[in-house]
Amino acid sequence: MIDLNSLNELQREAVCHKDGPCLVIAGAGSGKTKVLTTRIAKLIEDGVPSYQILAITFTNKAAKEMKERLEKMTEACEAYVGTFHSFGLRVIRENALRLGMDRNFTILDTEDVTSLIKKMLKERGIEPKNVSPSYVRNRISFIKNEMLSDAEIEQFFQSDMEKIAFDIYKEYNLKLKKSNSVDFDDLLRLPVLLFKENPDVLEHYQNKFRYILIDEYQDTNEVQYKLVKLLASKNKNLFVVGDPDQSIYQFRGANYKNILNFEKDYKDTKVVSLVDNYRSTKMILDAANCVIRNNKERKEKDLRSHHGDGVKIKYMRAYDEKDEIQMVIHEIQKLFDEGYQKKDIAVFYRTNAQARVVEEQFLKSNIPYRVVGSYYFYSRKEIKDLISYLRLIQNKEDDISLRRVINTPKRGIGNASIDKLETIANIEGISMFDAISSGKELAFKNLILELKRDCETMSLTELVEDVLVKSGMKSELEMDSENIENELRLDNLNEFKSITATFEETTGSVDLGDFLEEISLVADLSEHKEESDVVTLMTLHSAKGLEFPVVFLVGMEEGLFPHQNSFNEPDGVEEERRLCYVGITRAKEKLFLSNARSRMMYGQVNACKESRFIKEIDEELLDTEKKSVIVNVPKETMFNEEDVSYQPGDIVMHTIYGRGVVTSVDSSLITVAFARQYGIRKLMKNHKSIKKVG
């Protein structure tokens, strides 16, 4: 017997619904997985053969959790519980001949698809630097997931790059068919086409799966929506669970309007709203309700807590981004004193680029952490590539860095050519750089020599931009900026300029060698070993589905969160607000919100307005602290107000390097010879660390 007494009244109402469409609006922490699994068990208890039940989730992890719960609730459950893709794969395998395929077809992964597209571009004489293979791959994925007809593609794909993508798409599908292969998007698209073109096959699956349950319905895209609608069109026994307030994957093609329009699609729908939250305190839920009720496109509901009032939400407004994280660390230290463990605490931020400052401050404070869903900043491929360029500019003997970037971005220099260079270098006892004498390798060598000359007259921040532009790293990522991964990589590379700018401000030095020494220490420290008791750092998008006793939401500023990209997109700010709602409702006991009055992002310092989401929270819910724990020196005070004039031979004093002699002057930079242990340094001439003494 199913224990219905363990459910609240609304959960019982949802679980006991049997026939006809049912929409369950499941608020954060309201027990949606419990409702889904208990409903399956109840259907079986009421006489529905378990093999007639289809339950679809979005992740293998969620499917596994449901299966484990069902094993404890039922003796022999033959219900199909899996992801959209696993179900699509089953349909294709069972109907391969109808689709003109052999049952032993191959599934291509993302890497396989990219390689195939690269080959097709090459056959057309199109260079990857002109049309990115990943751009074409994403356009093909878009076509398949939106199920666009050729006529629709011709109507919407107007740019030259889109036309190339369409051309590749047509041949790409022929190649897949010829090689008896499918890609991941086909696992959803082909079953829909199969059902539309073969009514008898569709009826077979409609009779087989009389009861259908869909988890996270707000995250369905067009092809998933069509697949579900076809399967449920006969029996109408469709039970969907979701929350339009937690739809945060529009950039992946999810359409939250699928859940908002459910009652239009299915007449006589029973609607149950689960508003009892078993995760968070009343203060936290009231704040979440305050924010989300500003969205117009939603189903009205207010979450209510089963964990008492709790404490107020602490709001901290810091001077700058470093001060902000120091305030966070100050609060974390107090939490440790209260008995909280590191694993109880999570820090959420809107963009991956913000992680760098958080990581550095945590390292300096000796607080162990792990970054979820991302690499540590200095371990990211694009950052390692950039640092390798800088190391090679500083030291042309660095064969390791040369090997890393000689063909990054792609320059047509293969491994055989690189190995040949290494052989010549070993025989002649010289560096690989000096061994270069011809071909594409010589063009690369000239690029590095040009960058070395630029280094003599540029600040570090200017040099980084110079490297990104002249190496082609920046244009490669910008060319395919619609790819979310490339957008993040570009953000990280731009954020690196904040590191150089901070170094210049703090030391007054623009010496590349000094800078590389400085970051090598931080990069080495960030090679963490996995520990179980650590603070969790992650983006808000990665936080969905998780919960922590204590949550810090940092960077709550206009343009950062909500992100500036959302300002020009239809429903963009509403999506950001849903993301804020998700972040707030991850907290169980304590919630901290923070921002900064000024922030250095991508090497630029900007004044920051507090996020509109802060203003939307009722003041009585907030415990506001605007006084910094640590007061940093404002940027403008790091430089002398007057432009000091220098000539070769002038004597200067530096706060770190001591007494020195100016050897040359170049615009805003001076080169100074210090005592032997410090040698010759290039400095920003008006920095406060330098004083002209003679």
Side-chain angles (χ1 to χ4, degrees):
M1 287 287 292
I2 304 301
D3 180 18
L4 295 179
N5 292 325
S6 65
L7 306 172
N8 65 38
E9 185 181 344
L10 291 169
Q11 289 172 334
R12 273 197 302 275
E13 188 179 343
V15 164
C16 293
H17 172 80
K18 188 175 180 183
D19 295 322
C22 182
L23 168 63
V24 179
I25 304 295
S30 62
K32 70 178 180 64
T33 305
K34 185 177 184 179
V35 166
L36 277 166
T37 50
T38 309
R39 171 174 164 76
I40 293 171
K42 183 73 168 66
L43 286 171
I44 296 169
E45 185 177 270
D46 289 347
V48 175
S50 62
Y51 57 79
Q52 290 190 338
I53 299 170
L54 170 66
I56 297 181
T57 70
F58 270 82
T59 66
N60 290 315
K61 180 183 174 184
K64 183 183 177 186
E65 184 183 350
M66 284 181 65
K67 287 175 185 174
E68 288 172 352
R69 291 197 190 191
L70 283 168
E71 283 174 8
K72 295 175 183 176
M73 298 172 75
T74 59
E75 288 185 6
C77 180
E78 296 179 58
Y80 186 91
V81 181
T83 64
F84 272 103
H85 287 91
S86 66
F87 175 71
L89 174 59
R90 172 175 171 168
V91 171
I92 295 171
R93 285 231 186 274
E94 291 174 351
N95 299 274
L97 295 178
R98 290 270 194 141
L99 290 164
M101 298 163 57
D102 189 282
R103 279 179 58 86
N104 298 318
F105 58 85
T106 302
I107 303 172
L108 302 184
D109 61 21
T110 302
E111 196 172 323
D112 296 328
V113 172
T114 305
S115 297
L116 178 57
I117 291 170
K118 278 182 184 174
K119 184 172 179 291
M120 293 167 70
L121 286 169
K122 188 175 181 180
E123 288 168 353
R124 287 165 169 74
I126 300 171
E127 292 290 327
K129 64 183 180 182
N130 295 326
V131 179
S132 164
S134 59
Y135 168 81
V136 176
R137 186 191 70 219
N138 288 332
R139 292 287 84 192
I140 290 174
S141 181
F142 174 78
I143 290 169
K144 291 189 174 187
N145 279 294
E146 292 297 315
M147 300 206 70
L148 300 180
S149 66
D150 285 0
E152 288 172 320
I153 300 169
E154 286 174 355
Q155 180 183 349
F156 295 121
F157 281 36
Q158 295 296 320
S159 71
D160 290 342
M161 283 177 62
E162 286 176 327
K163 288 174 181 175
I164 290 170
F166 181 32
D167 181 45
I168 296 281
Y169 164 76
K170 288 183 285 189
E171 187 187 343
Y172 168 80
N173 278 339
L174 292 174
K175 283 185 180 289
L176 290 192
K177 195 170 185 66
K178 186 178 178 183
S179 62
N180 196 42
S181 301
V182 297
D183 59 26
F184 277 103
D185 297 318
D186 287 329
L187 297 182
L188 301 177
R189 184 181 69 98
L190 291 178
V192 172
L193 294 177
L194 175 76
F195 292 159
K196 282 185 172 183
E197 294 168 7
N198 301 274
D200 59 319
V201 176
L202 173 60
E203 188 173 16
H204 165 75
Y205 284 97
Q206 289 171 335
N207 292 335
K208 183 176 180 62
F209 297 114
R210 289 175 47 231
Y211 290 86
I212 301 170
L213 301 90
I214 311 292
D215 190 15
E216 303 284 13
Y217 192 69
Q218 79 280 351
D219 291 333
T220 51
N221 62 17
E222 185 65 18
V223 67
Q224 291 161 341
Y225 168 78
K226 286 181 175 176
L227 179 61
V228 171
K229 195 166 186 182
L230 285 165
L231 285 168
S233 60
K234 180 178 181 181
N235 299 303
K236 304 287 195 303
N237 296 325
L238 179 60
F239 185 93
V240 304
V241 179
D243 183 4
D245 290 340
Q246 295 187 73
S247 177
I248 59 173
Y249 298 125
Q250 203 165 338
F251 66 94
R252 292 183 190 166
N255 185 358
Y256 69 95
K257 291 188 178 178
N258 289 344
I259 194 168
L260 294 178
N261 293 332
F262 188 84
E263 292 165 85
K264 294 178 184 176
D265 290 337
Y266 301 93
K267 305 301 179 188
D268 303 318
T269 293
K270 181 179 183 63
V271 180
V272 181
S273 287
L274 304 181
V275 293
D276 291 280
N277 177 285
Y278 295 92
R279 175 190 300 154
S280 308
T281 65
K282 185 176 185 297
M283 289 281 186
I284 291 169
L285 294 183
D286 285 351
N289 290 331
C290 283
V291 171
I292 201 62
R293 68 171 60 113
N294 287 278
N295 270 7
K296 294 176 183 176
E297 294 279 353
R298 65 185 294 262
K299 292 274 188 184
E300 191 62 42
K301 72 174 185 305
D302 272 351
L303 295 177
R304 56 196 184 204
S305 174
H306 281 252
H307 284 292
D309 289 345
V311 297
K312 284 188 175 186
I313 294 140
K314 187 150 191 179
Y315 169 39
M316 303 178 294
R317 186 148 171 77
Y319 171 73
D320 64 12
E321 71 279 2
K322 288 185 180 177
D323 194 28
E324 178 189 20
I325 305 308
Q326 283 298 331
M327 293 179 81
V328 168
I329 288 169
H330 180 74
E331 293 297 332
I332 287 175
Q333 298 289 4
K334 290 200 294 189
L335 290 166
F336 292 159
D337 293 339
E338 293 173 23
Y340 284 96
Q341 294 181 284
K342 300 176 190 74
K343 65 183 179 183
D344 296 331
I345 302 167
V347 179
F348 300 156
Y349 34 80
R350 175 62 181 82
T351 69
N352 270 309
Q354 291 169 259
R356 196 266 309 170
V357 174
V358 183
E359 287 184 52
E360 285 191 355
Q361 297 302 312
F362 270 62
L363 283 167
K364 288 176 182 177
S365 300
N366 248 345
I367 297 177
Y369 65 87
R370 67 187 175 111
V371 180
V372 174
S374 180
Y375 293 106
Y376 295 105
F377 186 81
Y378 288 100
S379 299
R380 295 179 175 110
K381 179 188 180 298
E382 63 273 15
I383 298 300
K384 284 191 167 184
D385 290 343
L386 175 56
I387 291 173
S388 290
Y389 268 107
L390 296 176
R391 284 177 175 158
L392 192 57
I393 292 166
Q394 173 68 13
N395 172 23
K396 63 183 180 62
E397 311 294 317
D398 185 348
D399 289 351
I400 295 172
S401 292
L402 182 142
R403 285 192 74 105
R404 184 177 183 96
V405 298
I406 193 170
N407 198 39
T408 303
K410 301 291 185 191
R411 298 185 175 90
I413 303 173
N415 289 331
S417 299
I418 298 170
D419 291 341
K420 184 179 176 183
L421 269 181
E422 189 170 25
T423 301
I424 295 169
N426 289 336
I427 292 171
E428 298 187 13
I430 57 177
S431 69
M432 290 175 68
F433 188 87
D434 288 336
I436 295 173
S437 60
S438 62
K440 294 172 181 173
E441 298 90 326
L442 184 58
F444 171 76
K445 182 177 184 176
N446 289 332
L447 166 66
I448 299 300
L449 291 173
E450 181 183 349
L451 292 170
K452 282 179 79 72
R453 289 191 296 271
D454 293 346
C455 181
E456 294 300 315
T457 58
M458 289 181 172
S459 70
L460 292 169
T461 307
E462 290 168 339
L463 177 65
V464 167
E465 178 66 15
D466 196 42
V467 170
L468 294 177
V469 172
K470 289 182 177 175
S471 69
M473 289 177 70
K474 190 172 185 178
S475 60
E476 181 187 50
L477 296 173
E478 285 178 336
M479 183 172 58
D480 189 13
S481 59
E482 291 186 21
N483 180 339
I484 191 70
E485 292 177 9
N486 283 352
E487 186 182 327
L488 293 174
R489 290 190 183 107
L490 198 56
D491 272 355
N492 291 331
L493 290 172
N494 285 325
E495 176 60 14
F496 193 85
K497 288 184 279 189
S498 294
I499 304 174
T500 55
T502 300
F503 178 81
E504 290 167 340
E505 287 174 24
T506 307
T507 66
S509 173
V510 290
D511 188 273
L512 181 56
D514 285 355
F515 173 71
L516 290 171
E517 276 184 25
E518 174 88 5
I519 64 167
S520 67
L521 296 173
V522 180
D524 185 54
L525 280 169
S526 64
E527 295 296 330
H528 282 69
K529 294 179 180 177
E530 280 296 320
E531 296 182 50
S532 57
D533 188 25
V534 293
V535 176
T536 301
L537 313 181
M538 67 174 77
T539 64
L540 281 152
H541 280 101
S542 301
K544 189 164 183 284
L546 303 177
E547 58 182 42
F548 297 89
V550 182
V551 165
F552 288 83
L553 255 172
V554 302
M556 300 281 289
E557 298 143 22
E558 285 293 298
L560 186 54
F561 191 37
H563 198 277
Q564 60 185 5
N565 290 354
S566 69
F567 298 158
N568 299 319
E569 297 173 3
D571 304 323
V573 173
E574 292 218 349
E575 172 111 343
E576 292 286 294
R577 191 175 279 111
R578 292 194 291 270
L579 190 56
C580 182
Y581 176 82
V582 166
I584 290 173
T585 53
R586 300 310 94 194
K588 296 166 73 173
E589 299 167 16
K590 292 191 174 185
L591 175 65
F592 295 80
L593 309 176
S594 67
N595 55 29
R597 290 184 177 87
S598 69
R599 180 176 298 274
M600 180 184 286
M601 287 287 283
Y602 316 138
Q604 298 290 321
V605 177
N606 296 301
C608 304
K609 289 172 60 180
E610 69 178 356
S611 169
R612 69 189 70 190
F613 303 148
I614 297 283
K615 296 175 182 177
E616 290 169 358
I617 299 173
D618 290 342
E619 284 187 14
E620 60 264 25
L621 299 174
L622 298 176
D623 172 15
T624 303
E625 180 180 329
K626 295 189 178 181
K627 185 174 182 295
S628 301
V629 175
I630 294 175
V631 180
N632 288 320
V633 181
K635 182 188 178 196
E636 56 270 19
T637 66
M638 299 297 292
F639 297 88
N640 294 311
E641 291 180 10
E642 295 181 10
D643 185 7
V644 181
S645 176
Y646 287 96
Q647 298 292 331
D650 285 346
I651 307 298
V652 299
M653 286 295 294
H654 190 276
T655 53
I656 297 173
Y657 309 131
R659 188 181 181 89
V661 179
V662 177
T663 60
S664 66
V665 181
D666 182 3
S667 184
S668 62
L669 306 177
I670 57 173
T671 303
V672 183
F674 293 100
R676 182 176 298 175
Q677 68 265 38
Y678 296 117
I680 296 173
R681 304 279 170 166
K682 194 165 28 169
L683 306 170
M684 304 173 86
K685 72 176 185 178
N686 287 319
H687 197 270
K688 279 277 179 99
S689 61
I690 309 164
K691 187 177 181 182
K692 183 176 176 181
V693 296

